[in-house]
Protein backbone atom coordinates (compact mmCIF):
# COMPACT_ATOMS: atom_id res chain seq x y z
CA UNK A 1 0.00 0.00 0.00
CA UNK A 2 1.20 3.46 -0.90
CA UNK A 3 -1.73 5.43 0.49
CA UNK A 4 -0.69 5.09 4.13
CA UNK A 5 2.40 5.26 6.31
CA UNK A 6 3.71 1.70 6.68
CA UNK A 7 7.00 2.33 8.52
CA UNK A 8 7.88 4.50 11.52
CA UNK A 9 11.00 6.72 11.61
CA UNK A 10 12.62 4.03 13.84
CA UNK A 11 11.79 1.37 11.19
CA UNK A 12 8.98 -0.43 13.01
CA UNK A 13 6.22 -1.70 10.71
CA UNK A 14 2.75 -0.15 10.83
CA UNK A 15 0.23 -2.90 10.09
CA UNK A 16 -2.67 -2.05 7.78
CA UNK A 17 -5.03 -4.37 5.96
CA UNK A 18 -3.34 -5.33 2.70
CA UNK A 19 0.25 -5.06 3.99
CA UNK A 20 0.74 -8.71 5.00
CA UNK A 21 -0.08 -12.31 4.08
CA UNK A 22 -2.12 -13.88 6.88
CA UNK A 23 -1.61 -17.42 5.48
CA UNK A 24 2.19 -17.14 5.62
CA UNK A 25 2.14 -15.63 9.10
CA UNK A 26 -0.30 -18.28 10.38
CA UNK A 27 1.99 -21.07 9.18
CA UNK A 28 5.02 -19.51 10.89
CA UNK A 29 3.10 -18.95 14.13
CA UNK A 30 1.80 -22.53 14.27
CA UNK A 31 5.34 -23.92 14.09
CA UNK A 32 6.29 -22.10 17.30
CA UNK A 33 3.53 -23.59 19.52
CA UNK A 34 2.76 -20.24 21.13
CA UNK A 35 -0.12 -19.23 23.40
CA UNK A 36 -1.43 -15.67 23.47
CA UNK A 37 -3.35 -14.08 26.34
CA UNK A 38 -5.99 -11.34 26.31
CA UNK A 39 -6.69 -9.28 29.44
CA UNK A 40 -9.93 -7.32 29.79
CA UNK A 41 -11.76 -5.64 32.68
CA UNK A 42 -15.52 -5.70 33.31
CA UNK A 43 -16.04 -3.50 36.35
CA UNK A 44 -18.63 -0.99 37.50
CA UNK A 45 -20.86 0.00 34.54
CA UNK A 46 -19.15 -2.48 32.20
CA UNK A 47 -20.52 -5.37 34.23
CA UNK A 48 -23.65 -5.35 32.11
CA UNK A 49 -24.03 -8.70 30.42
CA UNK A 50 -24.26 -7.20 26.93
CA UNK A 51 -20.72 -5.83 27.18
CA UNK A 52 -19.24 -9.11 28.37
CA UNK A 53 -21.11 -11.35 25.96
CA UNK A 54 -20.61 -8.96 23.04
CA UNK A 55 -16.87 -8.76 23.57
CA UNK A 56 -16.27 -12.40 24.43
CA UNK A 57 -18.34 -13.89 21.61
CA UNK A 58 -16.71 -11.66 18.99
CA UNK A 59 -13.18 -12.10 20.39
CA UNK A 60 -13.67 -15.86 20.56
CA UNK A 61 -14.58 -15.79 16.87
CA UNK A 62 -12.15 -13.23 15.48
CA UNK A 63 -9.10 -12.88 17.76
CA UNK A 64 -6.28 -15.17 16.52
CA UNK A 65 -8.86 -17.61 15.18
CA UNK A 66 -7.56 -21.16 15.11
CA UNK A 67 -4.73 -20.41 17.54
CA UNK A 68 -4.79 -20.99 21.33
CA UNK A 69 -5.85 -17.93 23.30
CA UNK A 70 -6.33 -17.53 27.06
CA UNK A 71 -8.90 -14.85 27.92
CA UNK A 72 -8.46 -13.34 31.39
CA UNK A 73 -11.62 -11.47 32.45
CA UNK A 74 -11.19 -9.33 35.58
CA UNK A 75 -14.56 -8.41 37.06
CA UNK A 76 -16.26 -7.27 40.24
CA UNK A 77 -19.45 -9.08 39.19
CA UNK A 78 -18.43 -12.70 38.52
CA UNK A 79 -21.98 -13.81 39.31
CA UNK A 80 -23.15 -12.14 36.08
CA UNK A 81 -20.86 -14.20 33.87
CA UNK A 82 -23.09 -16.70 32.12
CA UNK A 83 -21.70 -19.78 30.45
CA UNK A 84 -19.90 -18.65 27.32
CA UNK A 85 -19.21 -21.22 24.61
CA UNK A 86 -15.54 -20.98 23.69
CA UNK A 87 -13.68 -22.40 20.71
CA UNK A 88 -11.84 -25.66 21.56
CA UNK A 89 -8.44 -23.95 21.48
CA UNK A 90 -9.54 -21.02 23.70
CA UNK A 91 -9.95 -20.79 27.47
CA UNK A 92 -11.74 -18.21 29.62
CA UNK A 93 -10.54 -17.42 33.15
CA UNK A 94 -12.78 -15.21 35.32
CA UNK A 95 -10.76 -13.38 37.98
CA UNK A 96 -12.66 -11.46 40.73
CA UNK A 97 -11.43 -7.94 41.55
CA UNK A 98 -12.78 -5.17 43.76
CA UNK A 99 -14.54 -2.16 42.31
CA UNK A 100 -13.03 1.29 42.87
CA UNK A 101 -15.12 4.33 43.84
CA UNK A 102 -14.04 6.44 40.85
CA UNK A 103 -13.39 5.39 37.27
CA UNK A 104 -10.03 7.17 37.51
CA UNK A 105 -9.06 4.78 40.32
CA UNK A 106 -10.13 1.80 38.23
CA UNK A 107 -7.92 3.16 35.46
CA UNK A 108 -4.99 3.45 37.86
CA UNK A 109 -5.38 0.01 39.37
CA UNK A 110 -5.43 -1.81 36.04
CA UNK A 111 -1.69 -1.44 35.52
CA UNK A 112 -0.94 -2.62 39.05
CA UNK A 113 -3.25 -5.64 38.69
CA UNK A 114 -1.80 -6.46 35.28
CA UNK A 115 1.82 -6.40 36.46
CA UNK A 116 1.01 -8.45 39.57
CA UNK A 117 -0.76 -11.18 37.62
CA UNK A 118 1.95 -11.30 34.96
CA UNK A 119 4.48 -11.99 37.68
CA UNK A 120 2.40 -14.53 39.57
CA UNK A 121 0.51 -16.32 36.80
CA UNK A 122 0.49 -15.10 33.21
CA UNK A 123 4.22 -15.47 32.55
CA UNK A 124 3.83 -19.21 33.17
CA UNK A 125 0.80 -19.59 30.88
CA UNK A 126 1.22 -17.40 27.79
CA UNK A 127 3.97 -16.15 25.49
CA UNK A 128 2.28 -12.94 24.37
CA UNK A 129 -0.26 -10.79 26.19
CA UNK A 130 -2.68 -8.13 24.93
CA UNK A 131 -4.95 -5.76 26.82
CA UNK A 132 -8.31 -4.84 25.26
CA UNK A 133 -11.35 -2.89 26.46
CA UNK A 134 -14.52 -4.83 27.22
CA UNK A 135 -16.92 -2.28 25.65
CA UNK A 136 -16.08 -3.18 22.04
CA UNK A 137 -16.94 -5.88 19.57
CA UNK A 138 -14.57 -7.33 17.01
CA UNK A 139 -15.98 -7.11 13.50
CA UNK A 140 -13.25 -8.84 11.50
CA UNK A 141 -10.26 -11.11 12.00
CA UNK A 142 -7.34 -9.90 14.10
CA UNK A 143 -4.57 -12.36 13.38
CA UNK A 144 -0.94 -13.10 14.15
CA UNK A 145 0.13 -10.02 12.20
CA UNK A 146 -0.21 -8.26 15.59
CA UNK A 147 2.43 -10.45 17.25
CA UNK A 148 5.67 -8.69 18.19
CA UNK A 149 7.74 -7.75 21.25
CA UNK A 150 5.99 -4.41 22.01
CA UNK A 151 2.84 -3.50 20.11
CA UNK A 152 0.84 -0.26 20.22
CA UNK A 153 -2.27 0.84 18.34
CA UNK A 154 -2.51 4.30 16.80
CA UNK A 155 -5.60 6.07 18.12
CA UNK A 156 -8.39 6.68 15.62
CA UNK A 157 -8.62 10.11 17.22
CA UNK A 158 -5.38 12.09 16.99
CA UNK A 159 -5.93 13.40 20.51
CA UNK A 160 -4.32 16.63 21.60
CA UNK A 161 -3.47 17.30 25.24
CA UNK A 162 -6.20 18.89 27.31
CA UNK A 163 -5.55 22.28 28.79
CA UNK A 164 -4.61 21.26 32.31
CA UNK A 165 -2.32 23.42 34.43
CA UNK A 166 -1.16 20.35 36.32
CA UNK A 167 -0.59 18.14 33.28
CA UNK A 168 2.96 19.36 32.67
CA UNK A 169 3.95 18.43 36.21
CA UNK A 170 2.89 14.80 35.98
CA UNK A 171 5.24 11.98 35.18
CA UNK A 172 3.15 11.24 32.09
CA UNK A 173 3.68 14.66 30.49
CA UNK A 174 5.21 14.58 27.00
CA UNK A 175 7.12 17.73 26.01
CA UNK A 176 5.50 19.59 23.12
CA UNK A 177 6.78 18.48 19.74
CA UNK A 178 8.39 15.28 21.03
CA UNK A 179 5.58 12.78 20.51
CA UNK A 180 5.49 10.18 17.73
CA UNK A 181 1.87 9.02 17.58
CA UNK A 182 -1.00 9.03 20.03
CA UNK A 183 -1.53 5.43 21.14
CA UNK A 184 -4.80 4.16 22.57
CA UNK A 185 -4.74 2.36 25.92
CA UNK A 186 -7.68 0.31 24.65
CA UNK A 187 -5.50 -2.14 22.69
CA UNK A 188 -1.80 -2.80 23.31
CA UNK A 189 0.43 -5.74 24.11
CA UNK A 190 3.46 -7.79 23.16
CA UNK A 191 5.67 -10.36 24.78
CA UNK A 192 4.90 -11.07 28.42
CA UNK A 193 8.27 -9.63 29.48
CA UNK A 194 7.74 -6.35 27.61
CA UNK A 195 4.15 -5.90 28.80
CA UNK A 196 5.32 -6.50 32.36
CA UNK A 197 7.91 -3.72 32.07
CA UNK A 198 5.32 -1.39 30.56
CA UNK A 199 2.75 -2.13 33.26
CA UNK A 200 5.30 -1.72 36.06
CA UNK A 201 6.45 1.64 34.72
CA UNK A 202 2.92 2.97 34.21
CA UNK A 203 1.85 1.76 37.64
CA UNK A 204 4.82 3.51 39.27
CA UNK A 205 4.03 6.74 37.44
CA UNK A 206 0.40 6.59 38.50
CA UNK A 207 1.37 6.01 42.13
CA UNK A 208 3.83 8.92 42.02
CA UNK A 209 1.15 11.24 40.66
CA UNK A 210 -1.41 10.14 43.24
CA UNK A 211 1.04 10.70 46.09
CA UNK A 212 1.70 14.21 44.80
CA UNK A 213 -1.92 15.11 44.15
CA UNK A 214 -1.52 15.08 40.38
CA UNK A 215 -3.67 13.53 37.70
CA UNK A 216 -2.70 13.27 34.02
CA UNK A 217 -5.41 14.31 31.53
CA UNK A 218 -5.74 10.80 30.11
CA UNK A 219 -4.85 8.74 33.21
CA UNK A 220 -3.19 5.41 32.35
CA UNK A 221 -3.28 6.27 28.63
CA UNK A 222 -1.06 9.27 29.36
CA UNK A 223 1.47 7.02 31.11
CA UNK A 224 1.27 4.47 28.31
CA UNK A 225 2.12 7.15 25.76
CA UNK A 226 4.98 8.46 27.89
CA UNK A 227 6.43 4.95 28.20
CA UNK A 228 6.13 4.29 24.47
CA UNK A 229 7.87 7.56 23.68
CA UNK A 230 10.89 6.37 25.66
CA UNK A 231 10.58 2.69 24.69
CA UNK A 232 9.64 2.59 21.03
CA UNK A 233 7.12 -0.09 20.05
CA UNK A 234 8.48 -2.73 17.69
CA UNK A 235 5.18 -2.89 15.77
CA UNK A 236 2.30 -0.45 15.39
CA UNK A 237 -1.27 -1.32 14.51
CA UNK A 238 -3.14 1.13 12.32
CA UNK A 239 -6.32 2.87 13.52
CA UNK A 240 -8.23 0.19 11.57
CA UNK A 241 -7.63 -2.13 14.53
CA UNK A 242 -9.47 0.05 17.03
CA UNK A 243 -11.83 2.34 15.15
CA UNK A 244 -14.25 4.66 16.89
CA UNK A 245 -17.67 4.34 15.26
CA UNK A 246 -18.32 8.03 15.99
CA UNK A 247 -15.88 8.94 13.23
Amino acid sequence: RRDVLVLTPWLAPIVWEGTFSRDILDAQYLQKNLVTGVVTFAVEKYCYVQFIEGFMSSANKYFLAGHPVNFYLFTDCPEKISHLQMAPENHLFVIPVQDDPRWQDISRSRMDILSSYIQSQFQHEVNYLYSMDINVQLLAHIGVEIIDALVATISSWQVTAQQDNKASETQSAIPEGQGDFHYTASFYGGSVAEVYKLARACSAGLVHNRENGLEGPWHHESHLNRYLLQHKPTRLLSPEYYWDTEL
Side-chain angles (χ1 to χ4, degrees):
R1 287 181 61 170
R2 298 183 179 181
D3 60 321
V4 292
L5 183 67
V6 296
L7 204 63
T8 69
W10 60 94
L11 305 182
I14 305 175
V15 182
W16 298 81
E17 191 66 36
T19 61
F20 58 89
S21 168
R22 185 163 283 136
D23 290 341
I24 292 174
L25 294 175
D26 275 340
Q28 294 174 342
Y29 187 85
L30 281 170
Q31 292 175 358
K32 298 177 182 178
N33 295 316
L34 300 172
V35 179
T36 299
V38 173
V39 170
T40 189
F41 287 78
V43 293
E44 202 194 26
K45 64 180 180 179
Y46 295 119
C47 263
Y48 294 122
V49 173
Q50 65 264 31
F51 284 120
I52 297 168
E53 291 189 349
F55 173 81
M56 287 306 310
S57 60
S58 63
N60 180 57
K61 179 179 180 180
Y62 288 123
F63 190 87
L64 267 64
H67 302 290
V69 179
N70 286 356
F71 291 96
Y72 301 104
L73 173 59
F74 290 91
T75 181
D76 62 340
C77 51
E79 71 284 353
K80 293 187 179 180
I81 310 300
S82 59
H83 177 70
L84 298 168
Q85 188 66 40
M86 305 296 292
E89 65 275 11
N90 293 341
H91 296 89
L92 172 62
F93 301 90
V94 178
I95 305 173
V97 291
Q98 288 187 336
D99 187 14
D100 283 298
R102 300 191 312 149
W103 70 267
Q104 293 94 332
D105 297 321
I106 297 169
S107 174
R108 288 192 189 108
S109 62
R110 284 188 182 191
M111 289 297 186
D112 187 46
I113 291 170
L114 180 56
S115 62
S116 296
Y117 271 86
I118 289 174
Q119 188 176 39
S120 64
Q121 180 179 346
F122 299 160
Q123 66 170 327
H124 307 296
E125 299 176 349
V126 298
N127 305 98
Y128 292 90
L129 189 65
Y130 290 80
S131 175
M132 301 182 73
D133 279 356
I134 193 76
N135 61 333
V136 298
Q137 292 190 30
L138 282 65
L139 303 177
H141 288 285
I142 294 179
V144 298
E145 74 277 358
I146 71 168
I147 299 296
D148 214 319
L150 184 58
V151 181
T153 304
I154 301 172
S155 174
S156 53
W157 293 88
Q158 286 300 305
V159 181
T160 57
Q162 291 184 348
Q163 294 300 314
D164 184 342
N165 59 7
K166 287 189 175 182
S168 61
E169 301 171 21
T170 72
Q171 286 204 336
S172 62
I174 294 177
E176 186 175 352
Q178 291 189 22
D180 299 312
F181 300 90
H182 184 87
Y183 305 111
T184 175
S186 299
F187 187 19
Y188 63 90
S191 70
V192 172
E194 288 298 327
V195 176
Y196 177 68
K197 288 189 284 188
L198 180 153
R200 280 286 302 273
C202 291
S203 179
L206 287 160
V207 169
H208 174 272
N209 283 0
R210 184 169 64 243
E211 290 175 345
N212 288 275
L214 302 172
E215 199 165 86
W218 300 101
H219 308 288
H220 71 296
E221 188 166 286
S222 297
H223 291 269
L224 176 83
N225 275 271
R226 177 71 178 189
Y227 182 87
L228 293 172
L229 176 63
Q230 299 169 333
H231 306 82
K232 305 295 189 189
T234 57
R235 180 172 302 244
L236 277 64
L237 305 181
S238 75
E240 295 171 319
Y241 281 84
Y242 207 91
W243 191 255
D244 192 324
T245 54
E246 291 184 17
L247 294 171

